[in-house]
Amino acid sequence: MTAFTQLESACVVLPNENIDTDQIIPARFLSTTTRKGLGEHAFSDWRRDASGQPRAEFPFNQPHNAGRSILIAGRNFGCGSSREHAPWALTDLGLRAVISSQIADIFRNNALKNGLLPIVLDEAIVQELMLRPDDVLHIDVAGNTLRTPDGRRFAFPLDAFARTCLLEGVDEMGYLLARADAISTFEQRREQELAHAG
Amino acid sequence: MNPRTLFDKIWDAHIVVPETDAAPAVFYIDLHLLHEVTTPQAFTELATRGLSPRRVERCIATMDHSTPTLPADAEGKLPYASVASEQQVDALRENCGKHGIELFDMGDARRGIVHVIAPEQGLTQPGMTIVCGDSHTSTHGAFGALAFGIGTSEVGHVLATQCLLQRKAKTLAIEINGPLRPGVGAKDIILHVIGVIGVNGGTGHVIEYRGSTIRALDMDARMTICNMSIEAGARAGMIAPDEVTFAYLANTPRAPKGAAFEHAKARWSQFCTDDGAAFDREVKINAADIRPTLTWGTHPGTAIAVDAPIPAPADDSARKGLAYMGFQASETVAGREVDVVFVGSCTNGRLSDMRDVAMVLQGRRVHPRVRMLVVPGSEQVKRAAEAEGIDRIVRAAGAEWREPGCSMCIAMNGDIVAAGQTAVSTSNRNFEGRQGPGSRTLLASPLSAAVAAVTGYVTDPGVFLSDRIAETI
Ligand code: SF4
C-alpha cells in the first residue's frame, strides 16, 4: 500500500441514506477472481438505465465530477454485505475518501485496508458540505482533520493504528506475520488448556 | 473475577496480543469458512507473497453463491449463469486442492450454504471464534460462538496467520420475554427487533439475545435470529448455549462423541453471561407485541406488522423507498399483489422452514400468478425434507423444488426476480435490485411467504391459519 498523508479535491455528492453494498457494486458483478476493473460497474443500477444507457443526471456520469476523489454520502453508508468489492469499486473510480455521518462497520474496515479513508462527521456538517460540492476540501491524515476553503477545520475519528498504516503505507498482513511467535505460543498454551479440560 | 458477559469470555480466551491505544488486539480464529465469491483474491495475495495457509485443519470450504439450483443436463454439465461463475467455482476447487483445504464440492452430500452446513456438521461449537468472508457469519452465534463476517483482505490474514486485528466491540443485550402469538416465528422476531432498533441500532456492538422467548426457540430459529444481526448494523449476534444447543450438537457428525462430548459440554456450559455482568446497552421487548412482520421499503429497518399502516415518510430516503416499492403511506403490506415467492437462504433454508412451507402448501395450489421457488439451504436439508415427502407437496402445489444454494437471496446464479415484480422472500436483504435489477422485495417468514404464494397476496398467516384450523374442525 502506498502512503496516504494528504488529499485535496472537490466532491461528488450522493445524498441518499443507507447506500448499501448492493448499490455500490451489484452482486452480479462479484463473479470475478481479480480486484481490478470494478469501477466500471460501481453504482451500475443508478448509473445506467434499463437499456444500459448512462443516465445523464447521475453524478458519476457528469463531466465536471471527473477526477474528483471525495464522495459525500447520506447516513449509514456501506451497510449490507462484507464484500470488499465495494471499496475496490470505489477506489477504481478514483475515490480516496468517503464522508458520511455514519459508515457501516465492515465497510469502514474494508475501506481502510484499501487506502479509502472513511470520514465520519456530524450530520449538520455533512449536510452543509453536500450543498457545496465544488468546494475543494483539504484532508490531513496525520492530524485527522478536514479543512474547508473558508479555513474551518473539522476533526474526524481515526483509529491510531489505522492512521499509522495509512501514513506509513504499512499493511496489516505484514504486521500480523511479524507476530508469528506470539501466535505459536498462544496456540501451544491453548492446546494444553483444552487437553487439560478434556 | 468480575462478572463477564458471554462475549467478554470468548473475547478474553482468544487474545494473542492485547489491544492498546496504538494498536488493535491480535485475535485468534478457531474456524475459517470459505466460499467461492470472497476468496480468490485472498489466495492470489498469498501466492504473491509466497505464503501458505497456517492451519488448514481450521478451514472448511463450500460452494454456494454462484452455483446453479437446477440439476445437471444429460451430459452432466451444470447450468452456470456465466463463464465467470464457473471460473470462480473452479478457482476455489483449485485453491483448496493446492493447499489441502477440506472442500464440500459440487455433488458432495455435505455441500450447501456456508452458514447452513457448518452447524449441521457440528463444526460450529460454543465458545469458538468463527469468521467467513460473508456478513451473515453472525448465524453461528446461535451456538454461543463469536462469529462475524470479514472482507477478502482479512480472509488472507486469517489464512496466513489464523489471526485478525480487532478492537473490542461494545455489548448490547436484547431481552425478549413471553410466549409468541400464533403465526409468529423467529423471522418475525428479528424483523421486529430491527424495526425497533433500526438498521444502525447495533453499530459497533455485539448483540446477545436473551430472555424466555429466546430460550424456548429451537436451534433453527435461533440461527434465523442471529443471522440478521448484521441487518441491525451489529458486528455479531449470539445466544448462550443450553440443553437445546447440546442436544443439537450431539446429533452432528463432527461434534465430540462419548466421554469427550460430556467433557466438551461441561466446558461449553461456561459460555454464558454471569449474573451481574453489565452490557453497554440493553433493550427489552415483549413477545406479545410481535406480530407477523414484513418489510415495506428498501432496507430491513422498514419492518412492519402485516396489518399496520405504513407510516408517512419521515425523510427523503423513506420517500424513495416507498416510490421504489410502489407503496403509499397508510396502506398495509397485507393485500399487496405478489409475483414471486422465494423460500430459502441462510436465514430460512433449514428443515423447520421447509416444514412450515409444507404445512401451508399441503392440499393447496400456488396462486396462478405466482412463481414460487423453494430452495433447501443444503444437501442435507434437501435429503431430510425429501424423506418427509416435502418435495412432493411443494411440486404438487405448483412450486419449484430446487437444488441447494443461495439462489434468489443474492441472485448471482441466474435465479432472479424481474424488474418491477414483487417478491415475498424469506432471505435477509430487501435492498434495491438485490434480487435482480428493478426487483421489489418484501422480507418475510416462511409461513408468511407460503401463505402469500397460496393466496397471491400478502396475507396475515395468523388469520389464514386460524381459518384453516376452523376448516378442519
Ligand atoms: S443465502 Fe444469501 S445471505 Fe446467506 S450466504 Fe447466501 S447470499 Fe449470503
Side-chain angles (χ1 to χ4, degrees):
Chain A
M1 216 162 70
T2 48
F4 184 175
T5 54
Q6 313 268 332
L7 176 65
E8 243 179 23
S9 172
C11 307
V12 184
V13 174
L14 291 176
N16 315 39
E17 291 185 2
N18 303 314
I19 295 178
D20 56 78
T21 50
D22 276 82
Q23 306 317 316
I24 300 171
I25 182 81
R28 61 187 184 282
F29 303 115
L30 305 183
S31 301
T32 169
T33 49
T34 71
R35 296 173 183 236
K36 301 212 173 63
L38 285 164
E40 177 189 342
H41 305 302
F43 302 107
S44 185
D45 294 340
W46 291 353
R47 260 162 99 187
R48 294 180 195 86
D49 62 20
S51 63
Q53 289 309 305
R55 292 182 215 262
E57 73 283 7
F58 188 68
F60 283 102
N61 291 336
Q62 295 172 336
H64 70 273
N65 281 332
R68 295 189 176 189
S69 52
I70 301 176
L71 172 66
I72 311 182
R75 195 162 51 95
N76 199 28
F77 183 83
C79 58
S81 84
S82 61
R83 62 187 72 156
E84 202 161 314
H85 309 70
W88 294 339
L90 298 181
T91 53
D92 203 49
L93 273 183
L95 293 171
R96 302 293 313 276
V98 181
I99 302 175
S100 175
S101 61
Q102 189 158 31
I103 296 181
D105 277 343
I106 303 183
F107 177 84
R108 198 193 50 219
N109 234 323
N110 283 337
L112 282 166
K113 289 180 179 57
N114 290 280
L116 178 68
L117 181 62
I119 298 182
V120 174
L121 296 172
D122 283 349
E123 181 71 31
I125 301 166
V126 175
Q127 290 296 334
E128 186 197 321
L129 295 177
M130 277 187 188
L131 298 175
R132 313 176 60 86
D134 297 333
D135 280 6
V136 171
L137 304 181
H138 182 100
I139 293 166
D140 174 32
V141 176
N144 43 301
T145 50
L146 175 147
R147 199 176 70 227
T148 53
D150 57 11
R152 287 182 298 157
R153 279 172 200 273
F154 301 102
F156 55 85
L158 182 60
D159 180 82
F161 182 74
R163 182 171 52 210
T164 308
C165 290
L166 288 170
L167 288 172
E168 295 173 12
V170 168
D171 78 277
E172 293 188 1
M173 176 78 102
Y175 181 91
L176 281 166
L177 287 168
R179 273 131 195 101
D181 288 348
I183 299 170
S184 298
T185 310
F186 175 90
E187 283 178 329
Q188 282 158 14
R189 194 189 72 217
R190 209 143 165 275
E191 264 152 39
Q192 278 165 11
E193 276 168 14
L194 286 181
H196 185 69
Chain B
M1 196 178 258
N2 287 333
R4 292 183 297 165
T5 63
L6 165 60
F7 167 69
D8 293 331
K9 289 179 183 178
I10 301 180
W11 175 264
D12 292 348
H14 291 85
I15 298 296
V16 176
V17 181
E19 78 179 303
T20 62
D21 285 346
V26 177
F27 190 70
Y28 197 76
I29 302 304
D30 294 319
L31 177 63
H32 186 189
L33 306 170
L34 302 120
H35 65 83
E36 74 279 16
V37 180
T38 55
T39 54
Q41 296 86 350
F43 282 109
T44 307
E45 180 74 21
L46 248 62
T48 312
R49 293 177 184 245
L51 299 167
S52 43
R54 183 182 173 92
R55 299 292 297 267
V56 283
E57 77 282 10
R58 293 188 178 277
C59 301
I60 291 277
T62 187
M63 319 278 204
D64 53 7
H65 286 65
S66 302
T67 57
T69 57
L70 287 169
D73 65 14
E75 278 111 58
K77 179 105 185 73
L78 286 164
Y80 283 96
S82 66
V83 175
S85 304
E86 189 164 4
Q87 280 170 349
Q88 253 187 352
V89 164
D90 291 344
L92 181 59
R93 185 176 297 127
E94 196 185 310
N95 284 319
C96 288
K98 181 169 147 201
H99 297 295
I101 293 172
E102 188 178 9
L103 167 68
F104 299 156
D105 203 344
M106 302 307 290
D108 191 307
R110 299 162 300 178
R111 189 194 66 86
I113 304 174
V114 62
H115 311 308
V116 177
I117 58 152
E120 227 166 51
Q121 292 301 316
L123 293 159
T124 298
Q125 294 172 12
M128 276 187 167
T129 50
I130 303 175
V131 296
C132 173
D134 190 287
S135 56
H136 292 99
T137 308
S138 59
T139 312
H140 308 266
F143 291 78
L146 176 60
F148 52 93
I150 56 177
T152 297
S153 295
E154 290 174 319
V155 169
H157 299 169
V158 179
L159 283 171
T161 69
Q162 207 55 40
C163 288
L164 281 174
L165 287 166
Q166 286 285 301
R167 292 235 177 242
K168 195 175 180 187
K170 296 199 176 86
T171 52
L172 165 61
I174 294 187
E175 188 178 322
I176 310 170
N177 286 306
L180 290 168
R181 295 178 177 231
V184 172
K187 185 62 164 290
D188 305 293
I189 298 177
I190 189 61
L191 285 171
H192 179 88
V193 165
I194 300 165
V196 169
I197 70 170
V199 283
N200 41 39
T203 304
H205 291 74
V206 167
I207 299 175
E208 183 182 333
Y209 301 95
R210 305 160 58 79
S212 66
T213 315
I214 299 293
R215 293 263 78 92
L217 298 174
D218 66 15
M219 290 314 296
D220 284 9
R222 293 181 189 186
M223 284 188 257
T224 301
I225 291 187
C226 289
N227 173 277
M228 288 190 71
S229 303
I230 182 75
E231 265 65 58
R235 290 212 198 153
M238 52 208 316
I239 294 172
D242 57 14
E243 289 304 325
V244 177
T245 322
F246 306 143
Y248 179 105
L249 281 162
N251 284 319
T252 59
R254 300 276 181 109
K257 300 284 170 236
F261 184 83
E262 292 310 314
H263 283 299
K265 196 169 132 178
R267 198 172 63 79
W268 293 338
S269 302
Q270 298 162 17
F271 291 103
C272 59
T273 291
D274 297 330
D275 287 341
F279 292 91
D280 293 298
R281 257 177 78 206
E282 290 185 53
V283 173
K284 281 197 166 78
I285 288 172
N286 185 351
D289 294 340
I290 308 175
R291 310 252 310 116
T293 302
L294 294 91
T295 54
W296 57 261
T298 52
H299 64 76
T302 60
I304 195 168
V306 61
D307 55 359
I310 297 171
D315 52 31
D316 218 37
S317 129
R319 248 184 304 278
K320 286 204 179 91
L322 271 180
Y324 182 87
M325 292 300 293
F327 273 124
Q328 307 279 338
S330 85
E331 265 186 295
T332 61
V333 290
R336 170 68 173 245
E337 209 174 278
V338 175
D339 306 300
V340 177
V341 169
F342 169 64
V343 177
S345 86
C346 58
T347 315
N348 285 119
R350 299 188 178 79
L351 185 58
S352 55
D353 304 312
M354 303 294 124
R355 286 178 178 154
D356 279 356
V357 168
M359 178 184 71
V360 174
L361 295 188
Q362 170 91 60
R364 292 197 169 78
R365 294 280 309 167
V366 170
H367 189 280
R369 186 184 52 247
V370 176
R371 176 184 183 211
M372 183 184 195
L373 246 71
V374 183
V375 186
S378 69
E379 296 285 350
Q380 182 172 313
V381 169
K382 179 170 181 266
R383 274 196 317 277
E386 288 177 352
E388 294 181 10
I390 292 176
D391 57 325
R392 289 193 298 280
I393 296 172
V394 167
R395 288 202 177 98
E400 298 174 48
W401 178 253
R402 291 290 188 97
E403 300 298 317
C406 296
S407 181
M408 264 187 195
C409 172
I410 190 162
M412 275 187 77
N413 73 333
D415 298 344
I416 67 166
V417 177
Q421 286 195 322
T422 297
V424 172
S425 177
T426 67
S427 53
N428 41 50
R429 288 190 174 140
N430 54 344
F431 300 147
E432 279 182 31
R434 167 81 175 185
Q435 299 192 286
S439 63
R440 304 193 277 199
T441 302
L442 279 68
L443 300 177
S445 71
L447 215 52
S448 293
V451 171
V454 166
T455 60
Y457 298 87
V458 174
T459 306
D460 183 340
V463 172
F464 181 86
L465 292 172
S466 61
D467 288 354
R468 182 194 150 99
I469 291 161
E471 277 166 29
T472 57
I473 292 172

